[in-house]
Amino acid sequence: MKPGDSLAFAGGALSGNRLRTALILLAMAIGVASVVVLSSLGDAARRYVIGEFSALGAHLVIVLPGRSETTGANPSMFLGETSRDLTIADAMALERLPGVRRIAPINVGATPVSRKGHSRDILLLGSTPDFLGIRGFHMEKGRFLPDTSADQATAVCVIGKKVKRELFGSEPALGEWLRIADRRFRVTGILASEGTSLGQDTDELVIVPVAAAQSIFNTQSLFRILVDVRTQEQVPKVITRVEEAIRQRHQGDLDVTVMTQDAVVGAFNNILNTLTLAVTGIAGISLIVAGVLVMNVMLVAVSQRTAEIGLLKAIGATGAQILRLFLLESALLAILGAALGLAIGYAGNQAIGHWFPKLTMAAPWWSEFGAIVVAVLTGLLFGILPARKAARLDPITSLQRR
Amino acid sequence: MIELAGIRRAYHVGNQDVYALSDVDLTIERGDYVSIMGPSGSGKSTLLNIIGLLDRPDQGAYRLDEQDVTTLTDDQQAGVRQRTMGFVFQFFHLIPRLSAADNIALPLVLAGVPADERRTRVDAVLADMGLSDRAEHRPEELSGGQRQRVAIARAVIMRPSILLADEPTGNLDRHTGEEVVTLLEGLHASGLTLLVVTHDPALGHRAGRQLRMEDGRIISDTQSQPAP
């Protein structure tokens, strides 16, 4: 039997029962599409987060209170728990280290801000003038924080555009006063929109001098210190110097974690890659389910087409030929289903990319490849049993049925 | 060309052996027209299936064209079936999703005959059967007589030497049955060995040689001059 004829025969058998074929194609397609979409989604999230971090600037060293035994992200990074406070004095000491271009101590917290009866909760960030340059933010209007010593709690603030709109409306805000927690601050500048960065929307941010933030939050401790190193080559040396300086200042204890941008990015990369794989694996299970459905459909096909199989044997088909024909049928189901699934997956990616433009949806090469391979393998694997059943049918008993 | 010696075929029903064929000896010459008659359960279909290599005897020897075919593997037997046997069934056994032409071409497809050669051969057979205008019709669009003619066309498309018909008129009215028999006899006249299983005496008596079976044995074997 020629390959083209086998294909035509198997294809004809599939189109002979359109509804069942369509349903099984759908099941296979959903499996493949979910693998493609979910892995793309995971990968897009990973690239998005990595991109966010990379926007911070390359030669950044981050100092966190609390010591973690391993490198990478650790709970203290998020919770800010510590054994000994990381203070503004520590930050000022780091600024004097060789190789350090500038630093930005940071305190962050949610707090209410109000003006003339309008009140809302915002994210308050305390830092120093260099923060603007380190984060790459820009001013829309006015000036950023005054260039005074970091431990001076000047009552000035810089506000995001949305905060300005909600508290001042169309009135001018520069030079006006507003109330943050229980203190009054004068607005000296308005931040330009930078979009959302690391979960902070610059439009919804209020920035005050770090010492002012500390007194609002009633703490001596910093959330973290960003250290901008002059060149990439100096980064390892600066890390050592930072650790040494903190150890001296903290009575010989190294109770901070010093990490580089790369370590943070690497940690997130690992986490998100693992997450992508896990989600893809779950989607992959639906492919196995689709495989079982293929088997079910083929078993039904074999018993419905018993007479046909008997006839094929009577007119000279060997068991191997019949096995091949039925395997080809399930393989066709799997391949067509996988192709349909890829198309649906791409369409899904396009749709998600359209609605969430920040996510660049592109399926990682391994997910498309893997989805097709798994689809075809399950189709073939689960096709073996029905095909063997067909090949072993006894022609006489098969032909006795009408 | 067909030589059966001491053929025995038993089926297990419960824990009893039921003999469908016991010690059947039979020789059929090339070009014979043989009818096999007998009540149901007499073993006539089993005999036909064994001659057609669809079934294997438990005991005995079957020589086809001087060759022992009982010892062949399943695949070798499939090859012999393909080259030398044509089957016609009571229920036609046409594949419903295929057109008449495609049903007829099926043995050629299985044998790997190229498509253009298939087309010429199928067209020729369709013309012989008077079915040229029905080539693209599906079985469900054909009458019973037409279906059986398509099935006969399929049986002879490989140019077999033996044509095995199991109740070929059993599902047809008398008139169309008559047409089908005339067709089969025409094929016999052109040189095919024709074996017909039937319990219709009118059909059985038209054969040159008539076998009667009962309880798995051949009880009578009569030669008659075919009607002129």
Side-chain angles (χ1 to χ4, degrees):
Chain A
M1 198 163 177
K2 294 193 184 309
D5 291 332
S6 307
L7 204 62
F9 189 86
L14 286 179
S15 55
N17 201 328
R18 295 236 165 89
L19 180 65
R20 204 168 58 204
T21 303
L23 286 176
I24 205 69
L25 285 182
L26 187 66
M28 210 59 165
I30 288 172
V32 171
S34 53
V35 167
V36 169
V37 169
L38 287 176
S39 63
S40 306
L41 206 56
D43 210 47
R46 181 184 64 85
R47 265 177 290 155
Y48 172 69
V49 170
I50 302 307
E52 290 284 293
F53 272 102
S54 307
L56 277 179
H59 323 314
L60 215 55
V61 169
I62 301 159
V63 184
L64 312 170
R67 181 75 194 151
S68 78
E69 294 305 319
T70 51
T71 57
N74 67 83
S76 67
M77 209 173 127
F78 307 106
L79 301 174
E81 286 174 3
T82 177
S83 46
R84 190 180 274 109
D85 290 344
L86 188 62
T87 61
I88 293 180
D90 289 333
M92 289 163 78
L94 297 184
E95 192 167 19
R96 293 188 293 270
L97 293 176
V100 172
R101 185 150 75 123
R102 52 193 176 176
I103 61 146
I106 294 177
N107 249 333
V108 181
T111 194
V113 50
S114 60
R115 175 182 176 265
K116 285 187 183 169
H118 294 285
S119 177
R120 63 179 308 248
D121 281 323
I122 47 90
L123 191 70
L124 183 70
L125 191 141
S127 195
T128 55
D130 283 336
F131 177 80
L132 193 72
I134 290 179
R135 285 302 306 269
F137 288 173
H138 299 91
M139 297 304 294
E140 173 94 9
K141 265 186 206 157
R143 292 178 301 109
F144 196 61
L145 301 177
D147 198 3
T148 53
S149 173
D151 51 9
Q152 281 206 309
T154 322
V156 293
C157 67
V158 174
I159 60 178
K161 282 166 98 171
K162 189 174 174 192
V163 179
K164 190 260 166 191
R165 197 167 57 242
E166 291 187 354
L167 292 181
F168 294 93
S170 55
E171 296 171 37
L174 288 186
E176 294 299 318
W177 291 85
L178 51 73
R179 188 170 287 278
I180 301 172
D182 54 349
R183 288 147 208 265
R184 276 157 51 81
F185 286 80
R186 186 189 290 275
V187 178
T188 63
I190 295 164
L191 279 173
S193 275
E194 308 284 350
T196 305
S197 165
L198 291 182
Q200 303 170 353
D201 186 346
T202 48
D203 289 351
E204 298 184 41
L205 214 54
V206 173
I207 303 177
V208 296
V210 65
Q214 282 190 327
S215 61
I216 287 172
F217 298 135
N218 191 23
T219 174
Q220 288 301 306
S221 180
L222 292 173
F223 177 62
R224 66 182 70 171
I225 304 171
L226 303 179
V227 180
D228 190 14
V229 184
R230 286 182 192 282
T231 63
Q232 183 66 39
E233 291 71 44
Q234 285 172 297
V235 168
K237 275 187 216 153
V238 168
I239 290 176
T240 325
R241 284 178 202 139
V242 165
E243 286 178 345
E244 199 44 51
I246 297 290
R247 202 194 300 275
Q248 277 179 15
R249 295 183 55 82
H250 288 190
Q251 291 86 40
D253 272 351
L254 182 59
D255 53 5
V256 295
T257 302
V258 182
M259 60 171 81
T260 58
Q261 186 74 28
D262 292 348
V264 178
V265 171
F268 269 101
N269 202 12
N270 284 344
I271 293 170
L272 290 166
N273 265 335
T274 313
L275 206 66
T276 305
L277 276 177
V279 170
T280 309
I282 293 167
I285 292 173
S286 60
L287 280 179
I288 308 289
V289 174
V292 176
L293 288 177
V294 167
M295 176 156 77
N296 179 38
V297 158
M298 292 309 294
L299 282 173
V300 172
V302 168
S303 50
Q304 279 188 344
R305 278 151 62 193
T306 303
E308 176 184 327
I309 296 162
L311 171 85
L312 288 175
K313 286 198 160 178
I315 61 178
T318 61
Q321 273 181 323
I322 287 169
L323 184 85
R324 272 202 298 277
L325 282 176
F326 276 83
L327 264 187
L328 192 61
E329 250 186 81
S330 41
L332 269 182
L333 276 177
I335 292 169
L336 291 178
L340 188 65
L342 277 188
I344 296 176
Y346 284 136
N349 277 359
Q350 291 285 324
I352 294 174
H354 179 73
W355 285 315
F356 303 95
K358 276 179 188 158
L359 295 176
T360 30
M361 296 290 288
W365 67 271
W366 51 263
S367 85
E368 296 170 7
F369 180 74
I372 294 173
V373 167
V374 171
V376 172
L377 278 186
T378 48
L380 280 178
L381 195 71
F382 288 105
I384 287 176
L385 184 74
R388 280 170 69 139
K389 203 178 156 200
R392 287 178 182 169
L393 275 182
D394 176 18
I396 302 167
T397 36
S398 337
L399 284 169
Q400 273 164 0
R401 296 215 214 154
R402 289 188 60 173
Chain B
M1 76 186 303
I2 297 170
E3 294 168 72
L4 301 176
I7 295 291
R8 180 177 291 181
R9 181 75 174 96
Y11 294 102
H12 301 282
V13 180
N15 49 7
Q16 262 190 322
D17 282 354
V18 177
Y19 285 92
L21 293 176
S22 41
D23 302 315
V24 170
D25 301 309
L26 178 66
T27 305
I28 295 172
E29 298 301 332
R30 181 177 295 274
D32 271 1
Y33 177 10
V34 182
S35 67
I36 306 169
M37 290 176 284
S40 11
S42 60
K44 52 190 195 305
S45 288
T46 308
L47 181 62
L48 198 75
N49 288 334
I50 283 180
I51 292 173
L53 293 173
L54 290 175
D55 199 359
R56 285 172 181 273
D58 300 318
Q59 240 176 56
Y62 173 13
R63 293 171 68 80
L64 179 69
D65 290 330
E66 313 299 317
Q67 185 197 7
D68 185 358
V69 289
T70 38
T71 54
L72 297 180
T73 64
D74 283 354
D75 284 1
Q76 286 169 325
Q77 287 196 343
V80 173
R81 274 204 300 277
Q82 190 170 57
R83 287 188 302 274
T84 52
M85 312 281 181
F87 291 91
V88 178
F89 307 97
Q90 179 179 0
F91 297 116
F92 324 130
H93 286 305
L94 299 174
I95 296 182
R97 63 173 181 275
L98 298 181
S99 69
D102 286 345
N103 265 294
I104 296 171
L106 205 51
L108 298 170
V109 170
L110 285 171
V113 175
D116 35 350
E117 190 190 334
R118 288 204 303 256
R119 202 163 309 121
T120 25
R121 279 170 73 171
V122 169
D123 285 348
V125 172
L126 277 168
D128 289 349
M129 302 284 159
L131 287 168
S132 292
D133 55 335
R134 293 280 179 269
E136 295 312 317
H137 287 57
R138 294 191 181 200
E140 62 189 13
E141 299 161 336
L142 299 173
S143 71
Q146 288 169 334
R147 290 184 206 181
Q148 194 60 301
R149 277 189 281 160
V150 170
I152 293 170
R154 180 183 61 197
V156 298
I157 192 78
M158 292 296 288
R159 298 168 189 145
S161 48
I162 304 169
L163 197 56
L164 304 166
D166 194 349
E167 304 279 9
T169 60
N171 222 23
L172 301 173
D173 61 52
R174 178 153 289 278
H175 177 66
T176 41
E178 195 78 17
E179 281 177 10
V180 164
V181 171
T182 313
L183 192 58
L184 289 174
E185 287 174 350
L187 290 165
H188 165 245
S190 71
L192 259 79
T193 310
L194 178 62
L195 267 74
V196 180
V197 162
T198 182
H199 47 236
D200 175 8
L203 172 57
H205 287 117
R206 296 171 67 136
R209 183 175 172 192
Q210 296 149 18
L211 304 178
R212 284 202 66 82
M213 294 194 67
E214 225 164 79
D215 294 335
R217 291 169 202 277
I218 298 173
I219 53 164
S220 80
D221 182 353
T222 53
Q223 302 270 348
S224 70
Q225 266 331 94

